[in-house]
Amino acid sequence: MEENCEIEFPAFPYKPYPIQMDFMKFLYKSLDKGGISMLESPTGTGKTLSIICSALQWLVDKKRQESTKGAGGNVQEKLGNEPCLDNDAENEPDWMRNFVPNKEPDSCEKKKRKEKKKYGFQSKEIRSEKENDEIIRDLFNRGEEEEVEVNLNYKDGKYVKVKVRVDEEDEEFLLEEYESEEESGGTLKRKNAGVNVCSSSDEEEEEGLGDEEEEVRLKIYFCSRTHSQLSQFIKELRKTTFASELMAVCLGSRKNLCINEEVVKLGTSTRINERCLELQKSKKNEASKTKKLGAGKRGHRTKASSGCPMLGSRKIEKEFKNEIIQLEPLDIEDLVRIGRSLGTCPYYGSRRMVPAADLVVLPYQSLLSKSSRESLGLSLKNNVIIIDEAHNLADTLISMYDAKVTLSQLNFLQSHLEGYFQRFRNLLGPGNRRYIQTLMVLTRALLKIQLDDGKVASHVDPLFGSGEIENAFVSSMAINEFLFALHIDNINLVKLLQYMKETNLIHKVSGYGDKVAVSQKGSTVEDGEAMNKEESAVSCFQALADMLFSLTNNDGDGRVLISRPRQTCHGQEGHIKYVMLTGEKIFSEIVNQAHAVILAGGTLQPIEETKERLFPSLQPDRLHFFSCGHIIPPENILPIVVKHGPSGQSFDFSYKLRSLSNMIEELGLLLCNLVTVVPEGVVVFFPSFDYEGKVYDAWKSSGILTRIMKKKRVFREPRKNTDVEAFLREYKETIDALSTTNPTSCNGAILFAVVGGKISEGINFSDGTGRCVIMIGLPYPSPSDIELIERVKHIEGLEETTSNQTPKSSVDGEHRNGDVQTGFHILRSCKGRGKEYYENLCMKAVNQSIGRAIRHINDYAAILLVDVRYASDPAKRSFSHSTGKLPQWIRSHLVTKAENYGEIHRLLHQFFKFHISKGSNQ
């Protein structure tokens, strides 16, 4: 490969700065080596453009090398010596791999059925619900079914079989006969088909895909967290020559890409996804019904059963594909616009382009979630993965594997299952009956543990007294502990989940339940209406399935949180949630397949935490790290630690002191002075929405807010993300309008934002919109968050284990949700990685927020860190923020010795006077 000096990047649209060249060369060489690389480049340094020009140049060079090898050359040989799998069964479509010829019934089948009668469950003894549940659980795992007298009538002194017919209108909801014996592996017994089709939602989606393109052997996947970040990537890509040289496709969610107005108006992602799949499923069912009617007969096609009008025309789908190929790379909005103009689905249209694409741009969920990758048909084998904004990758990754089922969902499911079983029990085969009964046992058990205080209390740590247990609305358990507490440890959840998937049980039971609700307009409808309007039977079943799947993880991989119902203004709330704690196994599935994985971001340090949580066993020579400074000159930034206010009051915004009236008043006086010296826009970051609201109300009552508004118009970050875009537009327009008026009057705007909110991540405050960024206190996450505390305890335990052992925390204590003091107790007992993780969460939030200001080489801004702890000695405090975790380009210029506000005011005055005069002279 070329030496460092020989690598060129002609596609870069401008003359790159030295740090950009260093970044691109390092990335290029990392792609050659393979493995995992972490590249840190501050926001505003052209990171995205550098990634594009380096990674795609490597891709072009690699393809050029392969073309010189001739037809016999193979990219796979260069990257991993993997054989070509084009003719392998692995590349066959699902319906071919699942194809099995029609079989005659097993010759032993009748014998087996006779033998199963020996268990003698035909007696008419009345058993309790608990005894019945125990028998069903036992039979389920022995692969046997109870011969309940559901198909027999007593006549003339003996039992006789009665042939039961199903109403034609209910026939579509009847499950097909199912075998689950060990030797059969779980199969449907179909009368009219020789294909074993899995009817999961993932495979239902394939209906919309049509003919696939030939898979390109080498491609790059670029993923980021937000829709706006992906659009920004496409915008930067268009600046390069790669826009016309390579095939790029942008993927998005149905919510962002759907153009069927009847579906879009449902609002939530869950409902939109469900309705999309329902329309495709109804189209399949209609086709099946048409075949059954035979020639000369026509079925009545309703609007609901006709499928989605945006799918079906292959001619229009090809027009969509051809238009995408001819145009420059398109973002989500472009795809929607073209889809609307042609009347075809951009969601499935973009998915069809993936196999032939050189570059795939997609959100985190689509790439990092295994189920999403499989649904989209993404192949990571020997390809390149670039993950942007990777500063919180570990927490983002494991959160995708959380699962939650609520009390209302379980009640809803129990009602649906009982109604379905009551209606079809005489028509179901023994296999179906046993599985449905087992599912009902599980649902009852999950309901019971939320309502049974004693069962939860028996697992609460002795650290708490009985009085405290009464208020312990949330309890935490390990997986095995939870299964034993529910007495469901002997149920094979893997077999049950396989059954739910293969029989399409979710849609059968949900469909029948919905039909009953519509026809009766009685109790079922009322139950449904009592739930959140976003819920549906399908989403409830999916929540249960996700929870059951989570319980198949290793015991130490996560924790089960049980929230007991309590009376609130919204009614009773209660849920069971599985919280994933380890991401190593999840991330290794990605790393082991890909040729190279690139983690990029503005602030990735400390990299040790990411390494320990995601790839602890990775050899050092397989991890490559790069970090660079900022492109701005040092005089364009003024970071200051503000220890005291104008009246001399020391600033300490720790949890115990931040709500004191004198602390809030001193902060207000500080802002009253700052708005007189800072031109244009000021952004103030508060630790939380609640604290911002408390401070705002106090300033409004004291008159401080009025003083601030005399110099700058006040904006407050909206809680709804959907309101942020219009809000920021008004903020910018206000600054542009007021900054040109008389500087002695109102001369700009001040924005009250929240750490962790929409504005703190992904929003740029360049030039006049962010001349000063103020961070109030150290935004540590709340110790009342039980999920956070469980993660801290888990990470603390990593220090005492090897990579092949189950982590066990040395930190004692069960945590009750909302109990701040218990959370502090657990945090203070952490001495190693758990403590480090908690501090890193704080400083990553600080770095993300203050990094919003400087966006280009000519930009300038002041950064104020308002809290005495930013300048104190880390050795003298229990929780050190460590200013050493600030980015180097800020840390190297940080002013920590200003002992009074007057000195700070003088520094700010000189700083802005210099840049204003500099700008007027240019």
Side-chain angles (χ1 to χ4, degrees), residues 97 156 172 206 227 344 534 567 598 793 819 872 886-887:
R97 290 204 305 271
D156 298 331
E172 64 177 299
E206 301 306 314
H227 168 72
T344 189
E534 297 180 3
Q567 201 68 32
I598 307 297
K793 290 167 64 177
D819 185 352
S872 60
L886 289 169

Side-chain angles (χ1 to χ4, degrees), residues 688-693 716-724 758:
S688 68
F689 276 107
D690 288 342
Y691 187 64
E692 186 272 342
R716 302 175 68 191
E717 178 176 359
R719 288 178 179 259
K720 283 187 176 182
N721 288 345
T722 53
D723 298 335
V724 170
K758 178 77 171 178

Side-chain angles (χ1 to χ4, degrees), residues 110-378:
K110 293 182 180 180
K111 182 178 179 181
K112 291 179 184 177
R113 291 176 179 172
K114 289 180 181 179
E115 289 176 349
K116 288 174 182 174
K117 293 182 179 180
K118 291 189 296 181
Y119 290 101
F121 293 114
Q122 288 86 357
S123 64
K124 293 187 177 181
E125 62 172 316
I126 300 176
R127 296 187 296 263
S128 69
E129 182 181 277
K130 180 178 180 181
E131 291 173 326
N132 191 52
D133 289 351
E134 290 174 351
I135 291 173
I136 292 172
R137 280 195 294 265
D138 184 55
L139 289 171
F140 177 77
N141 288 285
R142 284 159 46 190
E144 302 158 1
E145 73 274 356
E146 180 177 1
E147 293 290 333
V148 185
E149 299 169 338
V150 293
N151 289 54
L152 303 178
N153 274 3
Y154 193 75
K155 186 177 182 180
D156 298 331
K158 61 181 179 178
Y159 286 102
V160 295
K161 289 188 176 181
V162 178
K163 190 173 182 180
V164 184
R165 298 175 62 92
V166 62
D167 296 339
E168 185 175 335
E169 62 180 7
D170 288 345
E171 185 178 1
E172 64 177 299
F173 305 119
L174 180 63
L175 290 165
E176 298 189 46
E177 206 170 336
Y178 187 81
E179 291 182 342
S180 61
E181 283 72 22
E182 294 297 331
E183 60 269 19
S184 69
T187 56
L188 292 174
K189 288 167 53 176
R190 296 179 181 273
K191 297 178 181 179
N192 301 318
V195 181
N196 181 16
V197 180
C198 176
S199 301
S200 71
S201 61
D202 290 346
E203 278 151 7
E204 287 173 12
E205 296 187 40
E206 301 306 314
E207 174 72 12
L209 290 177
D211 299 331
E212 297 289 354
E213 296 283 343
E214 180 181 355
E215 182 81 24
V216 170
R217 299 192 187 282
L218 177 61
K219 62 168 79 314
I220 293 177
Y221 293 99
F222 176 90
C223 68
S224 195
R225 291 181 305 116
T226 66
H227 168 72
S228 61
Q229 287 165 345
L230 296 179
S231 295
Q232 179 64 27
F233 180 89
I234 294 295
K235 182 180 178 181
E236 295 294 302
L237 176 61
R238 291 171 183 165
K239 297 177 181 178
T240 72
T241 56
F242 295 125
S244 57
E245 294 178 10
L246 297 174
M247 174 65 185
V249 62
C250 186
L251 300 181
S253 65
R254 284 185 177 87
K255 184 176 182 180
N256 286 326
L257 285 169
C258 180
I259 59 172
N260 185 333
E261 296 299 334
E262 292 298 313
V263 178
V264 172
K265 70 181 183 181
L266 296 175
T268 66
S269 296
T270 300
R271 299 300 299 272
I272 289 173
N273 290 341
E274 289 175 7
R275 186 55 182 154
C276 176
L277 295 176
E278 285 172 6
L279 288 173
Q280 294 180 59
K281 182 173 177 289
S282 64
K283 184 177 180 181
K284 292 182 188 177
N285 291 342
E286 184 64 27
S288 176
K289 289 179 182 179
T290 303
K291 290 180 181 179
K292 290 181 180 179
L293 287 171
K297 297 182 180 179
R298 298 185 64 182
H300 176 65
R301 288 175 61 89
T302 65
K303 183 178 180 180
S305 67
S306 60
C308 180
M310 301 303 166
L311 284 172
S313 173
R314 300 298 185 204
K315 180 179 178 181
I316 299 179
E317 289 170 2
K318 288 182 178 180
E319 287 182 34
F320 181 87
K321 182 185 74 171
N322 292 335
E323 188 158 351
I324 290 179
I325 293 174
Q326 294 170 8
L327 296 172
E328 60 184 1
L330 306 174
D331 62 15
I332 301 295
E333 287 79 8
D334 297 323
L335 293 171
V336 169
R337 175 176 48 79
I338 294 174
R340 290 187 189 280
S341 65
L342 295 176
T344 189
C345 177
Y347 173 77
Y348 284 110
S350 59
R351 282 179 55 174
R352 293 188 194 96
M353 307 297 295
V354 170
D358 300 293
L359 172 66
V360 180
V361 182
L362 69 172
Y364 267 16
Q365 181 76 28
S366 299
L367 183 80
L368 299 179
S369 167
K370 184 177 181 180
S371 60
S372 296
R373 289 198 305 273
E374 293 175 346
S375 171
L376 293 168
L378 303 181

Side-chain angles (χ1 to χ4, degrees), residues 75 130 135 179 249 357 557 595 616 681 745 759 763 814 818 821:
V75 176
K130 180 178 180 181
I135 291 173
E179 291 182 342
V249 62
D557 286 351
H595 163 64
S745 61
I759 288 175
I763 303 298
E814 188 76 18
Q821 295 307 316

